[in-house]
PDB file of all heavy atoms in Angstrom:
ATOM      1  N   ASP M 253       0.684  15.056  -0.430  1.00 98.00           N
ATOM      2  CA  ASP M 253       1.261  16.301  -0.901  1.00 98.00           C
ATOM      3  C   ASP M 253       0.573  17.477  -0.258  1.00 98.00           C
ATOM      4  O   ASP M 253      -0.480  17.346   0.331  1.00 98.00           O
ATOM      5  CB  ASP M 253       1.115  16.384  -2.449  1.00 98.00           C
ATOM      6  CG  ASP M 253       1.975  15.348  -3.155  1.00 98.00           C
ATOM      7  OD1 ASP M 253       3.195  15.371  -2.917  1.00 98.00           O
ATOM      8  OD2 ASP M 253       1.406  14.525  -3.883  1.00 98.00           O
ATOM      9  N   GLY M 254       1.228  18.635  -0.385  1.00 98.00           N
ATOM     10  CA  GLY M 254       0.615  19.838   0.126  1.00 98.00           C
ATOM     11  C   GLY M 254       1.662  20.938   0.277  1.00 98.00           C
ATOM     12  O   GLY M 254       2.868  20.681   0.202  1.00 98.00           O
ATOM     13  N   PRO M 255       1.203  22.175   0.536  1.00 97.00           N
ATOM     14  CA  PRO M 255       2.107  23.283   0.647  1.00 97.00           C
ATOM     15  C   PRO M 255       2.820  23.294   2.018  1.00 97.00           C
ATOM     16  O   PRO M 255       2.509  22.461   2.886  1.00 97.00           O
ATOM     17  CB  PRO M 255       1.207  24.498   0.477  1.00 97.00           C
ATOM     18  CG  PRO M 255      -0.127  24.034   0.925  1.00 97.00           C
ATOM     19  CD  PRO M 255      -0.196  22.588   0.600  1.00 97.00           C
ATOM     20  N   ALA M 256       3.738  24.215   2.164  1.00 95.00           N
ATOM     21  CA  ALA M 256       4.557  24.336   3.408  1.00 95.00           C
ATOM     22  C   ALA M 256       3.688  24.474   4.667  1.00 95.00           C
ATOM     23  O   ALA M 256       2.757  25.277   4.679  1.00 95.00           O
ATOM     24  CB  ALA M 256       5.504  25.556   3.287  1.00 95.00           C
ATOM     25  N   ALA M 257       4.035  23.695   5.677  1.00 95.00           N
ATOM     26  CA  ALA M 257       3.422  23.809   6.988  1.00 95.00           C
ATOM     27  C   ALA M 257       1.920  23.549   6.964  1.00 95.00           C
ATOM     28  O   ALA M 257       1.213  24.031   7.856  1.00 95.00           O
ATOM     29  CB  ALA M 257       3.750  25.138   7.664  1.00 95.00           C
ATOM     30  N   SER M 258       1.464  22.736   6.063  1.00 97.00           N
ATOM     31  CA  SER M 258       0.027  22.363   5.989  1.00 97.00           C
ATOM     32  C   SER M 258      -0.290  21.279   6.981  1.00 97.00           C
ATOM     33  O   SER M 258      -1.464  21.010   7.272  1.00 97.00           O
ATOM     34  CB  SER M 258      -0.300  21.947   4.588  1.00 97.00           C
ATOM     35  OG  SER M 258       0.509  20.866   4.140  1.00 97.00           O
ATOM     36  N   LYS M 260       1.171  18.103   6.470  1.00 98.00           N
ATOM     37  CA  LYS M 260       1.346  16.879   5.768  1.00 98.00           C
ATOM     38  C   LYS M 260       2.344  15.907   6.386  1.00 98.00           C
ATOM     39  O   LYS M 260       2.092  14.687   6.405  1.00 98.00           O
ATOM     40  CB  LYS M 260       1.661  17.101   4.271  1.00 98.00           C
ATOM     41  CG  LYS M 260       2.966  17.802   4.075  1.00 98.00           C
ATOM     42  CD  LYS M 260       3.174  18.240   2.614  1.00 98.00           C
ATOM     43  CE  LYS M 260       4.514  18.929   2.501  1.00 98.00           C
ATOM     44  NZ  LYS M 260       4.689  20.128   3.387  1.00 98.00           N
ATOM     45  N   ASP M 277      10.062  11.651   4.246  1.00 97.00           N
ATOM     46  CA  ASP M 277       9.759  13.058   4.120  1.00 97.00           C
ATOM     47  C   ASP M 277      10.621  13.560   2.965  1.00 97.00           C
ATOM     48  O   ASP M 277      11.840  13.833   3.151  1.00 97.00           O
ATOM     49  CB  ASP M 277      10.067  13.783   5.409  1.00 97.00           C
ATOM     50  CG  ASP M 277      10.082  15.281   5.338  1.00 97.00           C
ATOM     51  OD1 ASP M 277       9.816  15.815   4.240  1.00 97.00           O
ATOM     52  OD2 ASP M 277      10.280  15.929   6.387  1.00 97.00           O
ATOM     53  N   THR M 278      10.065  13.660   1.760  1.00 98.00           N
ATOM     54  CA  THR M 278      10.910  13.969   0.598  1.00 98.00           C
ATOM     55  C   THR M 278      11.402  15.415   0.572  1.00 98.00           C
ATOM     56  O   THR M 278      12.358  15.751  -0.080  1.00 98.00           O
ATOM     57  CB  THR M 278      10.166  13.709  -0.723  1.00 98.00           C
ATOM     58  OG1 THR M 278       9.002  14.575  -0.821  1.00 98.00           O
ATOM     59  CG2 THR M 278       9.691  12.256  -0.802  1.00 98.00           C
ATOM     60  N   GLY M 279      10.774  16.298   1.385  1.00 97.00           N
ATOM     61  CA  GLY M 279      11.254  17.643   1.536  1.00 97.00           C
ATOM     62  C   GLY M 279      12.693  17.667   2.046  1.00 97.00           C
ATOM     63  O   GLY M 279      13.494  18.579   1.731  1.00 97.00           O
ATOM     64  N   LEU M 280      13.013  16.667   2.886  1.00 97.00           N
ATOM     65  CA  LEU M 280      14.357  16.616   3.439  1.00 97.00           C
ATOM     66  C   LEU M 280      15.424  16.414   2.387  1.00 97.00           C
ATOM     67  O   LEU M 280      16.545  16.875   2.561  1.00 97.00           O
ATOM     68  CB  LEU M 280      14.434  15.463   4.475  1.00 97.00           C
ATOM     69  CG  LEU M 280      13.877  15.671   5.841  1.00 97.00           C
ATOM     70  CD1 LEU M 280      14.051  14.435   6.691  1.00 97.00           C
ATOM     71  CD2 LEU M 280      14.449  16.898   6.548  1.00 97.00           C
ATOM     72  N   TYR M 282      15.435  17.729  -0.653  1.00 98.00           N
ATOM     73  CA  TYR M 282      15.696  19.083  -1.274  1.00 98.00           C
ATOM     74  C   TYR M 282      16.316  20.031  -0.212  1.00 98.00           C
ATOM     75  O   TYR M 282      17.197  20.828  -0.541  1.00 98.00           O
ATOM     76  CB  TYR M 282      14.372  19.690  -1.809  1.00 98.00           C
ATOM     77  CG  TYR M 282      13.849  18.828  -2.959  1.00 98.00           C
ATOM     78  CD1 TYR M 282      12.890  17.819  -2.711  1.00 98.00           C
ATOM     79  CD2 TYR M 282      14.356  18.957  -4.244  1.00 98.00           C
ATOM     80  CE1 TYR M 282      12.439  17.032  -3.739  1.00 98.00           C
ATOM     81  CE2 TYR M 282      13.918  18.137  -5.272  1.00 98.00           C
ATOM     82  CZ  TYR M 282      12.958  17.173  -4.986  1.00 98.00           C
ATOM     83  OH  TYR M 282      12.545  16.340  -6.017  1.00 98.00           O
ATOM     84  N   ARG M 283      15.908  19.864   1.051  1.00 97.00           N
ATOM     85  CA  ARG M 283      16.542  20.633   2.106  1.00 97.00           C
ATOM     86  C   ARG M 283      17.996  20.256   2.232  1.00 97.00           C
ATOM     87  O   ARG M 283      18.866  21.107   2.477  1.00 97.00           O
ATOM     88  CB  ARG M 283      15.801  20.444   3.456  1.00 97.00           C
ATOM     89  CG  ARG M 283      14.475  21.157   3.539  1.00 97.00           C
ATOM     90  CD  ARG M 283      13.729  20.863   4.806  1.00 97.00           C
ATOM     91  NE  ARG M 283      12.430  21.567   4.835  1.00 97.00           N
ATOM     92  CZ  ARG M 283      12.252  22.699   5.515  1.00 97.00           C
ATOM     93  NH1 ARG M 283      13.226  23.255   6.225  1.00 97.00           N
ATOM     94  NH2 ARG M 283      11.071  23.280   5.457  1.00 97.00           N
ATOM     95  N   GLY M 325      14.760  25.822   4.149  1.00 93.00           N
ATOM     96  CA  GLY M 325      13.492  25.647   3.409  1.00 93.00           C
ATOM     97  C   GLY M 325      13.451  26.510   2.147  1.00 93.00           C
ATOM     98  O   GLY M 325      13.041  26.049   1.065  1.00 93.00           O
ATOM     99  N   ALA M 328      15.877  25.043  -0.313  1.00 97.00           N
ATOM    100  CA  ALA M 328      15.302  23.825  -0.856  1.00 97.00           C
ATOM    101  C   ALA M 328      14.391  24.155  -2.033  1.00 97.00           C
ATOM    102  O   ALA M 328      14.443  23.497  -3.079  1.00 97.00           O
ATOM    103  CB  ALA M 328      14.550  23.091   0.228  1.00 97.00           C
ATOM    104  N   SER M 329      13.563  25.184  -1.847  1.00 95.00           N
ATOM    105  CA  SER M 329      12.577  25.438  -2.917  1.00 95.00           C
ATOM    106  C   SER M 329      13.254  26.041  -4.157  1.00 95.00           C
ATOM    107  O   SER M 329      12.755  25.881  -5.258  1.00 95.00           O
ATOM    108  CB  SER M 329      11.423  26.279  -2.378  1.00 95.00           C
ATOM    109  OG  SER M 329      11.551  27.625  -2.634  1.00 95.00           O
ATOM    110  N   VAL M 330      14.421  26.698  -3.978  1.00 97.00           N
ATOM    111  CA  VAL M 330      15.151  27.177  -5.151  1.00 97.00           C
ATOM    112  C   VAL M 330      15.771  26.031  -5.918  1.00 97.00           C
ATOM    113  O   VAL M 330      15.568  25.883  -7.143  1.00 97.00           O
ATOM    114  CB  VAL M 330      16.240  28.221  -4.761  1.00 97.00           C
ATOM    115  CG1 VAL M 330      17.043  28.639  -5.959  1.00 97.00           C
ATOM    116  CG2 VAL M 330      15.582  29.424  -4.065  1.00 97.00           C
ATOM    117  N   ALA M 332      14.929  22.947  -5.801  1.00 97.00           N
ATOM    118  CA  ALA M 332      13.868  22.002  -6.231  1.00 97.00           C
ATOM    119  C   ALA M 332      13.213  22.416  -7.557  1.00 97.00           C
ATOM    120  O   ALA M 332      12.546  21.596  -8.180  1.00 97.00           O
ATOM    121  CB  ALA M 332      12.785  21.897  -5.168  1.00 97.00           C
ATOM    122  N   ARG M 338      15.721  17.418  -9.607  1.00 98.00           N
ATOM    123  CA  ARG M 338      14.543  16.536  -9.375  1.00 98.00           C
ATOM    124  C   ARG M 338      14.816  15.170  -9.987  1.00 98.00           C
ATOM    125  O   ARG M 338      14.477  14.146  -9.388  1.00 98.00           O
ATOM    126  CB  ARG M 338      13.286  17.145  -9.967  1.00 98.00           C
ATOM    127  CG  ARG M 338      12.946  18.539  -9.490  1.00 98.00           C
ATOM    128  CD  ARG M 338      11.546  18.924  -9.732  1.00 98.00           C
ATOM    129  NE  ARG M 338      10.645  18.190  -8.874  1.00 98.00           N
ATOM    130  CZ  ARG M 338      10.398  18.550  -7.598  1.00 98.00           C
ATOM    131  NH1 ARG M 338      10.925  19.653  -7.091  1.00 98.00           N
ATOM    132  NH2 ARG M 338       9.617  17.830  -6.842  1.00 98.00           N
ATOM    133  N   GLN M 345      13.464   7.920  -4.644  1.00 97.00           N
ATOM    134  CA  GLN M 345      12.113   8.075  -4.101  1.00 97.00           C
ATOM    135  C   GLN M 345      11.187   6.988  -4.640  1.00 97.00           C
ATOM    136  O   GLN M 345      10.378   6.438  -3.916  1.00 97.00           O
ATOM    137  CB  GLN M 345      11.531   9.457  -4.512  1.00 97.00           C
ATOM    138  CG  GLN M 345      12.269  10.633  -3.834  1.00 97.00           C
ATOM    139  CD  GLN M 345      11.724  11.972  -4.325  1.00 97.00           C
ATOM    140  OE1 GLN M 345      10.729  12.450  -3.807  1.00 97.00           O
ATOM    141  NE2 GLN M 345      12.366  12.533  -5.317  1.00 97.00           N
ATOM    142  N   ASP M 358       5.745  11.880   1.753  1.00 98.00           N
ATOM    143  CA  ASP M 358       5.070  13.208   1.696  1.00 98.00           C
ATOM    144  C   ASP M 358       5.994  14.197   1.003  1.00 98.00           C
ATOM    145  O   ASP M 358       7.222  14.100   1.064  1.00 98.00           O
ATOM    146  CB  ASP M 358       4.595  13.655   3.037  1.00 98.00           C
ATOM    147  CG  ASP M 358       5.706  14.151   3.976  1.00 98.00           C
ATOM    148  OD1 ASP M 358       6.396  13.325   4.572  1.00 98.00           O
ATOM    149  OD2 ASP M 358       5.877  15.364   4.100  1.00 98.00           O
ATOM    150  N   GLY M 359       5.386  15.122   0.295  1.00 98.00           N
ATOM    151  CA  GLY M 359       6.152  16.141  -0.446  1.00 98.00           C
ATOM    152  C   GLY M 359       5.250  17.051  -1.238  1.00 98.00           C
ATOM    153  O   GLY M 359       4.219  17.527  -0.807  1.00 98.00           O
ATOM    154  N   ARG M 360       5.674  17.293  -2.522  1.00 97.00           N
ATOM    155  CA  ARG M 360       4.897  18.166  -3.403  1.00 97.00           C
ATOM    156  C   ARG M 360       4.409  17.454  -4.644  1.00 97.00           C
ATOM    157  O   ARG M 360       3.428  17.872  -5.249  1.00 97.00           O
ATOM    158  CB  ARG M 360       5.814  19.351  -3.885  1.00 97.00           C
ATOM    159  CG  ARG M 360       6.350  20.223  -2.773  1.00 97.00           C
ATOM    160  CD  ARG M 360       5.217  21.041  -2.137  1.00 97.00           C
ATOM    161  NE  ARG M 360       5.726  22.007  -1.175  1.00 97.00           N
ATOM    162  CZ  ARG M 360       6.288  21.746   0.026  1.00 97.00           C
ATOM    163  NH1 ARG M 360       6.448  20.494   0.383  1.00 97.00           N
ATOM    164  NH2 ARG M 360       6.674  22.709   0.816  1.00 97.00           N
ATOM    165  N   ASP M 361       5.130  16.373  -5.029  1.00 98.00           N
ATOM    166  CA  ASP M 361       4.847  15.707  -6.294  1.00 98.00           C
ATOM    167  C   ASP M 361       4.687  14.189  -6.164  1.00 98.00           C
ATOM    168  O   ASP M 361       4.942  13.477  -7.097  1.00 98.00           O
ATOM    169  CB  ASP M 361       5.987  16.025  -7.318  1.00 98.00           C
ATOM    170  CG  ASP M 361       7.314  15.472  -6.844  1.00 98.00           C
ATOM    171  OD1 ASP M 361       7.472  15.172  -5.622  1.00 98.00           O
ATOM    172  OD2 ASP M 361       8.231  15.332  -7.660  1.00 98.00           O
ATOM    173  N   ILE M 362       4.346  13.757  -4.969  1.00 98.00           N
ATOM    174  CA  ILE M 362       4.273  12.312  -4.743  1.00 98.00           C
ATOM    175  C   ILE M 362       3.130  11.662  -5.556  1.00 98.00           C
ATOM    176  O   ILE M 362       3.324  10.666  -6.282  1.00 98.00           O
ATOM    177  CB  ILE M 362       4.112  11.951  -3.244  1.00 98.00           C
ATOM    178  CG1 ILE M 362       5.153  12.710  -2.418  1.00 98.00           C
ATOM    179  CG2 ILE M 362       4.191  10.459  -3.036  1.00 98.00           C
ATOM    180  CD1 ILE M 362       6.595  12.420  -2.769  1.00 98.00           C
ATOM    181  N   ILE M 366       6.006  10.957  -8.449  1.00 98.00           N
ATOM    182  CA  ILE M 366       6.769   9.861  -7.835  1.00 98.00           C
ATOM    183  C   ILE M 366       5.963   8.557  -7.837  1.00 98.00           C
ATOM    184  O   ILE M 366       6.454   7.515  -8.191  1.00 98.00           O
ATOM    185  CB  ILE M 366       7.210  10.261  -6.375  1.00 98.00           C
ATOM    186  CG1 ILE M 366       7.990  11.544  -6.324  1.00 98.00           C
ATOM    187  CG2 ILE M 366       7.987   9.097  -5.720  1.00 98.00           C
ATOM    188  CD1 ILE M 366       9.279  11.526  -7.109  1.00 98.00           C
ATOM    189  N   ARG M 387       4.103  27.380  11.427  1.00 93.00           N
ATOM    190  CA  ARG M 387       5.578  27.436  11.246  1.00 93.00           C
ATOM    191  C   ARG M 387       6.221  28.399  12.233  1.00 93.00           C
ATOM    192  O   ARG M 387       7.265  28.147  12.785  1.00 93.00           O
ATOM    193  CB  ARG M 387       5.825  27.867   9.784  1.00 93.00           C
ATOM    194  CG  ARG M 387       7.232  27.823   9.240  1.00 93.00           C
ATOM    195  CD  ARG M 387       8.002  26.558   9.448  1.00 93.00           C
ATOM    196  NE  ARG M 387       7.416  25.249   9.192  1.00 93.00           N
ATOM    197  CZ  ARG M 387       7.507  24.565   8.061  1.00 93.00           C
ATOM    198  NH1 ARG M 387       8.085  25.075   6.992  1.00 93.00           N
ATOM    199  NH2 ARG M 387       6.973  23.349   7.962  1.00 93.00           N
ATOM    200  N   ARG M 414       7.170  30.829  -1.118  1.00 94.00           N
ATOM    201  CA  ARG M 414       7.392  29.405  -1.399  1.00 94.00           C
ATOM    202  C   ARG M 414       6.245  28.795  -2.130  1.00 94.00           C
ATOM    203  O   ARG M 414       6.418  28.006  -3.050  1.00 94.00           O
ATOM    204  CB  ARG M 414       7.698  28.655  -0.086  1.00 94.00           C
ATOM    205  CG  ARG M 414       8.674  27.538  -0.268  1.00 94.00           C
ATOM    206  CD  ARG M 414       9.819  27.684   0.667  1.00 94.00           C
ATOM    207  NE  ARG M 414       9.486  27.405   2.051  1.00 94.00           N
ATOM    208  CZ  ARG M 414       9.254  26.173   2.531  1.00 94.00           C
ATOM    209  NH1 ARG M 414       9.258  25.113   1.712  1.00 94.00           N
ATOM    210  NH2 ARG M 414       9.006  26.033   3.787  1.00 94.00           N
ATOM    211  N   ASP M 418       6.750  27.103  -5.685  1.00 94.00           N
ATOM    212  CA  ASP M 418       6.511  25.658  -5.847  1.00 94.00           C
ATOM    213  C   ASP M 418       5.364  25.416  -6.812  1.00 94.00           C
ATOM    214  O   ASP M 418       5.376  24.391  -7.545  1.00 94.00           O
ATOM    215  CB  ASP M 418       6.161  25.039  -4.476  1.00 94.00           C
ATOM    216  CG  ASP M 418       7.365  24.955  -3.533  1.00 94.00           C
ATOM    217  OD1 ASP M 418       8.494  25.173  -3.994  1.00 94.00           O
ATOM    218  OD2 ASP M 418       7.140  24.689  -2.328  1.00 94.00           O
ATOM    219  N   ARG M 421       6.647  26.690 -10.783  1.00 93.00           N
ATOM    220  CA  ARG M 421       7.775  26.135 -11.548  1.00 93.00           C
ATOM    221  C   ARG M 421       7.250  25.187 -12.648  1.00 93.00           C
ATOM    222  O   ARG M 421       6.193  24.606 -12.557  1.00 93.00           O
ATOM    223  CB  ARG M 421       8.735  25.373 -10.595  1.00 93.00           C
ATOM    224  CG  ARG M 421       8.169  24.136 -10.016  1.00 93.00           C
ATOM    225  CD  ARG M 421       9.102  23.524  -8.951  1.00 93.00           C
ATOM    226  NE  ARG M 421       8.466  22.333  -8.405  1.00 93.00           N
ATOM    227  CZ  ARG M 421       8.631  21.965  -7.156  1.00 93.00           C
ATOM    228  NH1 ARG M 421       9.346  22.642  -6.313  1.00 93.00           N
ATOM    229  NH2 ARG M 421       8.015  20.888  -6.713  1.00 93.00           N
ATOM    230  N   ALA M 424       7.528  19.546 -12.329  1.00 93.00           N
ATOM    231  CA  ALA M 424       6.761  18.965 -11.202  1.00 93.00           C
ATOM    232  C   ALA M 424       6.228  20.012 -10.247  1.00 93.00           C
ATOM    233  O   ALA M 424       6.534  20.026  -9.064  1.00 93.00           O
ATOM    234  CB  ALA M 424       7.648  17.932 -10.450  1.00 93.00           C
TER     235      ALA M 424
HETATM  236  O1  LIG C 178       8.044  21.384   5.584  1.00 70.06           O
HETATM  237  P1  LIG C 178       7.774  22.302   4.421  1.00 70.06           P
HETATM  238  O2  LIG C 178       6.506  22.022   3.758  1.00 70.06           O
HETATM  239  O3  LIG C 178       8.016  23.735   4.727  1.00 70.06           O
HETATM  240  O4  LIG C 178       8.895  22.054   3.372  1.00 70.06           O
HETATM  241  P2  LIG C 178       9.437  20.702   2.820  1.00 70.06           P
HETATM  242  O5  LIG C 178       8.364  19.727   2.577  1.00 70.06           O
HETATM  243  O6  LIG C 178      10.549  20.299   3.700  1.00 70.06           O
HETATM  244  O7  LIG C 178       9.975  21.103   1.350  1.00 70.06           O
HETATM  245  C1  LIG C 178      10.929  22.129   1.182  1.00 70.06           C
HETATM  246  C2  LIG C 178      10.930  22.525  -0.276  1.00 70.06           C
HETATM  247  O8  LIG C 178      11.341  21.383  -1.051  1.00 70.06           O
HETATM  248  C3  LIG C 178       9.569  22.859  -0.840  1.00 70.06           C
HETATM  249  O9  LIG C 178       9.228  24.228  -0.714  1.00 70.06           O
HETATM  250  C4  LIG C 178       9.661  22.428  -2.289  1.00 70.06           C
HETATM  251  O10 LIG C 178      10.182  23.445  -3.116  1.00 70.06           O
HETATM  252  C5  LIG C 178      10.617  21.303  -2.276  1.00 70.06           C
HETATM  253  N1  LIG C 178      10.022  19.963  -2.430  1.00 70.06           N
HETATM  254  C6  LIG C 178       9.711  19.571  -3.705  1.00 70.06           C
HETATM  255  O11 LIG C 178       9.892  20.283  -4.651  1.00 70.06           O
HETATM  256  N2  LIG C 178       9.218  18.315  -3.942  1.00 70.06           N
HETATM  257  C7  LIG C 178       8.978  17.506  -2.920  1.00 70.06           C
HETATM  258  N3  LIG C 178       8.501  16.270  -3.152  1.00 70.06           N
HETATM  259  C8  LIG C 178       9.276  17.893  -1.580  1.00 70.06           C
HETATM  260  C9  LIG C 178       9.803  19.158  -1.371  1.00 70.06           C
END
Side-chain angles (χ1 to χ4, degrees):
D253 292 303
S258 55
K260 61 189 181 302
D277 170 357
T278 64
L280 283 180
Y282 297 94
R283 285 174 181 263
S329 98
V330 176
R338 307 198 70 83
Q345 294 178 84
D358 75 281
R360 300 291 186 291
D361 62 342
I362 309 304
I366 304 299
R387 188 50 47 92
R414 215 124 71 74
D418 291 348
R421 69 187 177 213

